[in-house]
Amino acid sequence: MPTMRPDAPTSPLRLSIDASALTANWRALDRLSGPARAGAAVKANAYGVGAAQVAPVLRAAGCDDFFVAHWSEVPELLDHVPASRIAVLHGPLTAADAAWARAAGVRPVINSLHQARLWQEAGGGACDLMVDTGINRLGVSLADLSDPLLAALDIDVLHSHLAASEEPDNPLNASQLERWQAARAVVRHRRAALANSAGIALGGAFLGDLTRPGLALYGGVPCAALAGEIRQVVCPQAAIMQVRQLQAGDSVGYNATFTATSPMRVGVVSIGYADGYLRCWSGKGLMRAGGADLPVLGRVSMDMTVVDLGGAPDLREGDWLDVAYALPEASERSGLSQYELLTLLGRRFAR
Ligand SMILES: *Cc1c(COP(=O)(O)O)cnc(C)c1O
């Protein structure tokens, strides 16, 4: 007989996800995409937000095209999105990848002549093509575009990817646009896509038929033009595990980087760098409860962080705090990029 295992108690750490803000962000990006439809980059567990939480909300909002990076990211998504609506950006690395894509019915993004051959040898079918126009990462080079291997592909979306879209004045944008348009003239395809979140703000010819926003869906603001359009989606929340009273001269945490100068009440909170709340927040982060700001004291530990409860004298063990995590401000304060702030969010959050 298998032993009965009771359900685990609820986590003292949760990621609050504002589904209406996520919906509003996708709709804003779809509107700003003009004649193009907005898809969604949901790779890396939807940038750490949680693919299983994000995908059904985006589907309901009207999103029809989903992008992941790895094959391992597909199965979870298949619970929420039809296979034919999923494309895998890294494409097949092995014959087994290509065979799996065929069996699952998802589209590989073909990034090289080698991948084109793997896909054809697996039996082929609808796929996407990534063309490198200047980022020099994944993608078929312009010089290879007339290769017969590519002419034999059944290409749905012809992609390229911008290297500096969050800098509207960077000359790379115009040169990448020109090369992408040249590729569109050479390769047979049904739809064309170039813009990520910040690329959408470039507008006009950058929009093509389909856009691939990621960061801005989840509350990131990569460029000034998107400020005012994008709402905060995620808020980490953690419970107070212990309240303690410090006296003047008492220090807090590893290496005693904070010392109280007068008596103070502090809370030990169940979030640490193992959850993605990195040590850069030591002495710098802010938590909130009922309108009060509660500064982080001393070093962030692996599993806990200490905050000053001076602004909220009624808080007790078990009470929840919001971690200040509005992405543009949090990035400014921490020195981490908005992408890193999201994708760091760890496994221990209840989502
Ligand atoms: C991740 C990714 C995106 C999304 O970019 P954001 O800057 O997060 O909007 C778009 N296209 C490709 C190819 C990507 O890898």
Side-chain angles (χ1 to χ4, degrees), residues 2 8 21 23 27 29 52 62 71 143 162 168 177 219 265 272 334 351:
T23 298
R27 293 214 167 118
L29 292 160
W71 298 102
L162 296 167
L177 173 63
R265 222 170 142 258
S334 65
R351 286 176 167 85

Side-chain angles (χ1 to χ4, degrees), residues 41 43 47 89 130 137 161 195-198 212-216 339:
K43 62 196 180 191
Y47 288 43
L89 290 163
M130 174 65 73
R137 253 173 23 171
H161 189 53
N196 62 342
S197 299
R212 302 182 308 262
L215 182 75
Y339 294 87

